[in-house]
Amino acid sequence: MSSSSSSTTHSLALATTYVVVLLLLHVPNYNAQLNSTFYSTTCPNVTSIVRSADQQALQSDSRIGASLIRLHFHDCFVNGCDASILLDKNGTIQQSEKDAAPNTNSTRGFDVVDNIKTALENSCPGVVSCADLLALAAEASVSLSGGPSWNVLLGRRDSLTANQAGANTSIPSPFESLANITSKFSAVGLNTNDLVALSGAHTFGRAQCRTFSNRLYNFNGTGNPDPTLNSSYLTTLQQTCPQNGSGTALANLDLSTPDAFDNNYFTNLQNNQGLLQSDQELFSTAGAATVSIVNSFSSNQSAFFESFAQSMINMGNISPLVGTSGEIRLDCKNVNGG
């Protein structure tokens, strides 16, 4: 090789390196902005305050853990983890995310969020954001129900706006194909392992009949039940949700241990006993990358717990408001002065 072509190659390599470095500089590194010790001096007891309020709520409502983690999930998928889901419709907020299709008459636990916020304001006024409150409540809900613990990264701030249209389009639906759900996760930077691990949150909590009754009687217009539904489980569900019954009646998402956070959800999928279409698809979609992950989590609970904790951290890192963006809401339902 001549010296001129060698120097050209060297120049190209340098230029490529320079471009790669530039690209890396523009990749948002939320881990650097959020950290687990954010409130160590301003509100050192933040974790125990949230955990205590969460524990109190669980004593009178076994569903509340699942409800609180769902609020964090539905928050993070719309404009990032900014507590926009908590804002009521009022003079400042024209359209609330609470009224979006995935949330209306469905999301719950707002009263518990208010109780936690009151406790935080009493101890550390004006310090802890509602977005961080949701992240901490999700972790407490999981660990108090027998699941893993993790160090929640903190430092998010609260939004000044809500995005109802985004809530209608960005939040995964129980009726969607695995391909659609995968792309919604991908759109917020979450991969297939995150999808399967976070779906494992359906190891506790309830779902309304209207979210799965399509599987019981007339699946995809066939006039028959979903063929991937275990026949005895189908009979049980048809008793809970008769054809013209109440769409708001409840069924356990995990038929075996409905209030415990464990890996039984994945064993249920292997037995064709996933409640939602979006659950069962993880195992029953032929050739899907999700199948081997379901099998792994079913056979190894600690592998599931480890992946779940990491995926919760990943989800909590979606587009947080930091620094001087947004605000620290004094009342999670309303923007300050709104």
Side-chain angles (χ1 to χ4, degrees):
M1 183 184 284
S2 71
S3 60
S4 64
S5 65
S6 171
S7 72
T8 304
T9 306
H10 182 65
S11 300
L12 280 172
L14 279 175
T16 305
T17 304
Y18 179 66
V19 169
V20 168
V21 168
L22 272 183
L23 286 172
L24 287 173
L25 287 173
H26 285 86
V27 173
N29 182 1
Y30 302 128
N31 287 307
Q33 297 169 316
L34 303 181
N35 64 79
S36 61
T37 58
F38 188 81
Y39 298 110
S40 61
T41 56
T42 54
C43 194
N45 296 325
V46 59
T47 302
S48 58
I49 292 168
V50 173
R51 187 180 178 89
S52 172
D54 206 329
Q55 193 160 24
Q56 195 173 351
L58 275 166
Q59 286 169 2
S60 57
D61 179 3
S62 60
R63 298 171 60 195
I64 197 63
S67 299
L68 290 171
I69 198 171
R70 187 165 180 251
L71 285 179
H72 183 44
F73 166 47
H74 282 208
D75 179 38
C76 290
F77 267 68
V78 184
N79 291 13
C81 310
D82 62 357
S84 56
I85 193 172
L86 302 178
L87 290 170
D88 281 345
K89 180 180 177 180
N90 58 30
T92 320
I93 304 300
Q94 302 292 311
Q95 291 187 308
S96 170
E97 290 175 26
K98 294 179 182 181
D99 299 322
N103 296 329
T104 188
N105 299 318
S106 173
T107 46
R108 60 192 297 277
F110 298 107
D111 53 337
V112 176
V113 169
D114 289 340
N115 291 343
I116 297 172
K117 181 61 170 169
T118 299
L120 288 169
E121 288 300 307
N122 288 341
S123 187
C124 323
V127 171
V128 181
S129 68
C130 299
D132 280 346
L133 183 165
L134 288 178
L136 287 162
E139 190 279 339
S141 295
V142 171
S143 60
L144 287 167
S145 302
S149 296
W150 60 94
N151 287 325
V152 179
L153 302 186
L154 302 164
R156 301 168 194 81
R157 289 166 66 85
D158 298 324
S159 72
L160 303 173
T161 59
N163 183 1
Q164 187 184 105
N168 278 321
T169 56
S170 301
I171 296 171
S173 149
F175 311 110
E176 283 186 287
S177 68
L178 178 57
N180 280 9
I181 293 172
T182 302
S183 63
K184 285 185 175 182
F185 271 73
S186 181
V188 292
L190 298 176
N191 64 25
T192 304
N193 198 75
D194 295 317
L195 163 57
V196 180
L198 293 172
S199 295
H202 287 174
T203 178
F204 64 172
R206 318 283 180 264
Q208 296 180 31
C209 288
R210 64 189 174 99
T211 61
F212 59 87
S213 56
N214 64 312
R215 302 184 68 206
L216 307 184
Y217 303 101
N218 184 21
F219 186 62
N220 289 347
T222 59
N224 295 306
D226 183 340
T228 65
L229 199 50
N230 173 291
S231 57
S232 61
Y233 187 42
L234 168 65
T235 304
T236 302
L237 292 175
Q238 285 175 332
Q239 289 167 352
T240 305
C241 308
Q243 193 145 16
N244 296 307
S246 166
T248 58
L250 299 171
N252 294 323
L253 281 159
D254 175 352
L255 77 165
S256 56
T257 50
D259 296 323
F261 198 100
D262 53 31
N263 68 332
N264 287 357
Y265 166 85
F266 299 102
T267 308
N268 296 340
L269 300 186
Q270 293 173 321
N271 295 330
N272 288 339
Q273 292 176 323
L275 183 63
L276 306 178
Q277 177 185 328
S278 54
D279 292 325
Q280 193 57 50
E281 283 170 340
L282 298 175
F283 184 74
S284 297
T285 304
T290 52
V291 177
S292 62
I293 306 172
V294 169
N295 290 336
S296 165
F297 291 164
S298 172
S299 64
N300 186 340
Q301 181 166 277
S302 59
F304 164 50
F305 279 10
E306 191 176 320
S307 282
F308 184 82
Q310 185 57 55
S311 292
M312 285 296 291
I313 292 168
N314 296 344
M315 185 177 79
N317 282 337
I318 300 170
S319 306
L321 297 170
V322 294
T324 56
S325 301
E327 66 181 11
I328 305 299
R329 268 182 236 148
L330 302 179
D331 172 3
C332 293
K333 300 183 298 298
N334 299 298
V335 297
N336 295 342

